[in-house]
Amino acid sequence: MAGVSRSAVSFAFNNPQRISTATRERILAVADQLGYTPNTLGRMLQAGTTNSIGVLLPQGLAQILENPYYARFLMGTGQVCDREGYTLLLTPPLQDSVLKAIPYAAVDGFVVCGLEIDRGEVAELDRRGIPFVLIDSDRHEGAPHVEVDDRGGARDVARYLLELGHRRLAVLSIGPRPAADAGHRGPLARRLAGITDALAEVGMTLDDVRLAEAPVTRADGYKATKTLMSGPEPPPTAILALSDILAYGAVDALRDLGVDVPGEVSVTGFDDLAESAWFRPRLTTVRQPIVTKGRMAADFLISAIRGEDQHPHQMLGTSLIVRESATNPA
């Protein structure tokens, strides 16, 4: 209808400098009349790129979106995508399988959250030659990697509680406890290792601490704390939660039980989410640079997609943030 070649139509949409202004305007007018828009899938197939990166998630979207940690992390990745002209695709497990989700994600590479390097997903990404960056896992020879000092952060907050005089400690842990020979792998194991370090300084071990396991939701932190406080043993004087979300749930439960925080039971977290600064009582916690971690992950991934990276590794520091939710035991 425009009286031009297919190449000229392509130039009109993709390289307008290759044709005259008059020709481009005629082509666009015809396209508008026909309701034509370029076929994005066709473009991607022809170019072999999508200008999109995926975030491979370890849990379903409902649970991920309930956790403000991921909002902060995705803020960092989103900043880089905006700057570099990429879109962002969240890729949760498909039929409870992260491995099954990989072939259905039309992306140029993945930010892989919380998966260990001996998992099938990492092997599959290697096999397919898809660039990826590992977040909060062990180092992998063929991929960039970003983590935080989980062990040091957990050691600092446990040491702080012990220096306040607490000895009846409870830990709200994320998921199953690693086996003794697991080699302190993953954020959870590294945080437990940090707590073990601090306990050793006062002649205690992790066996002297009550451990409750819970998914990372406020409701599950609530339920786990109710269980901790209802046992036959003397209740803990301090609860060390391995995420701020679990700590919020712990404080909710203690309030409902009529237990004063921190007068009767101290509570600490890990993450330093925005809410922790105005939560009541203001939460003592470990700050990790979540936005920076997300931003660095996306930077590393886009460099890998462009063939520019040398598989960098980055460990980000943590810091203890002392507020109002922990004090000396009564």
Side-chain angles (χ1 to χ4, degrees):
M1 287 185 65
V4 297
S5 67
R6 293 177 62 183
S7 295
V9 173
S10 177
F11 292 152
F13 284 96
N14 302 309
N15 297 302
Q17 69 276 9
R18 300 282 297 274
I19 57 176
S20 70
T21 300
T23 301
R24 181 172 187 266
E25 288 177 351
R26 184 169 76 253
I27 292 169
L28 294 181
V30 171
D32 184 62
Q33 180 184 343
L34 294 172
Y36 169 83
T37 56
N39 187 313
T40 304
L41 179 59
R43 279 180 168 181
M44 291 190 302
L45 289 171
Q46 186 174 28
T49 62
T50 65
N51 277 353
S52 181
I53 63 174
V55 179
L56 201 59
L57 299 166
Q59 300 159 327
L61 281 177
Q63 191 169 356
I64 290 295
L65 295 176
E66 189 176 355
N67 188 346
Y69 166 89
Y70 279 101
R72 302 288 293 169
F73 181 82
L74 293 172
M75 181 186 299
T77 57
Q79 288 170 355
V80 176
C81 287
D82 288 343
R83 186 190 73 212
E84 300 293 335
Y86 278 73
T87 58
L88 187 65
L89 178 69
L90 300 185
T91 310
L94 179 64
Q95 300 173 347
D96 296 323
S97 169
V98 179
L99 186 62
K100 289 180 181 177
I102 292 173
Y104 291 92
V107 297
D108 295 333
F110 283 104
V111 172
V112 181
C113 296
L115 297 180
E116 291 306 323
I117 61 174
D118 56 358
R119 293 263 308 227
E121 296 86 354
V122 175
E124 179 67 7
L125 292 172
D126 271 334
R127 186 185 71 80
R128 289 174 173 264
I130 300 174
F132 62 96
V133 175
L134 292 167
I135 306 301
D136 294 329
S137 68
D138 291 335
R139 301 187 194 190
H140 180 59
E141 187 175 301
H145 175 248
V146 184
E147 63 177 326
V148 300
D149 185 9
D150 289 291
R151 185 168 187 159
R155 182 172 57 244
D156 289 344
V157 70
R159 181 184 289 147
Y160 175 72
L161 290 173
L162 292 166
E163 288 175 348
L164 287 174
H166 294 280
R167 292 298 182 270
R168 293 206 311 270
L169 298 176
V171 173
L172 279 186
S173 179
I174 306 166
R177 184 175 181 176
D181 60 350
H184 299 305
R185 303 177 63 210
L188 168 61
R190 290 192 288 271
R191 291 177 194 183
L192 290 175
I195 295 169
T196 300
D197 294 340
L199 291 169
E201 295 172 2
V202 296
M204 296 174 63
T205 70
L206 206 56
D207 291 332
D208 299 316
V209 172
R210 297 176 65 180
L211 185 75
E213 298 168 355
V216 191
T217 70
R218 190 165 181 161
D220 285 298
Y222 180 97
K223 289 186 286 188
T225 301
K226 281 286 192 78
T227 300
L228 280 173
M229 300 300 291
S230 64
E233 303 174 20
T237 62
I239 296 176
L240 196 163
L242 297 188
S243 80
D244 282 5
I245 293 295
L246 292 177
Y248 302 158
V251 173
D252 293 340
L254 293 168
R255 281 180 181 148
D256 284 356
L257 292 169
V259 177
D260 180 68
V261 179
E264 295 176 84
V265 176
S266 293
V267 177
T268 62
F270 197 113
D271 287 329
D272 195 29
L273 301 175
E275 184 180 349
S276 297
W278 48 266
F279 186 76
R280 293 295 182 270
R282 293 181 177 87
L283 189 67
T284 292
T285 186
V286 175
R287 175 177 295 163
Q288 62 161 313
I290 303 170
V291 176
T292 299
K293 181 162 63 171
R295 188 164 52 239
M296 190 169 290
D299 272 329
F300 283 0
L301 179 57
I302 291 174
S303 292
I305 291 168
R306 294 171 176 169
E308 301 168 352
D309 77 293
Q310 298 296 321
H311 307 319
H313 164 76
Q314 181 68 51
M315 176 180 282
L316 301 171
T318 59
S319 55
L320 176 65
I321 306 300
V322 176
R323 295 194 179 103
E324 301 168 353
S325 64
T327 190
N328 306 90

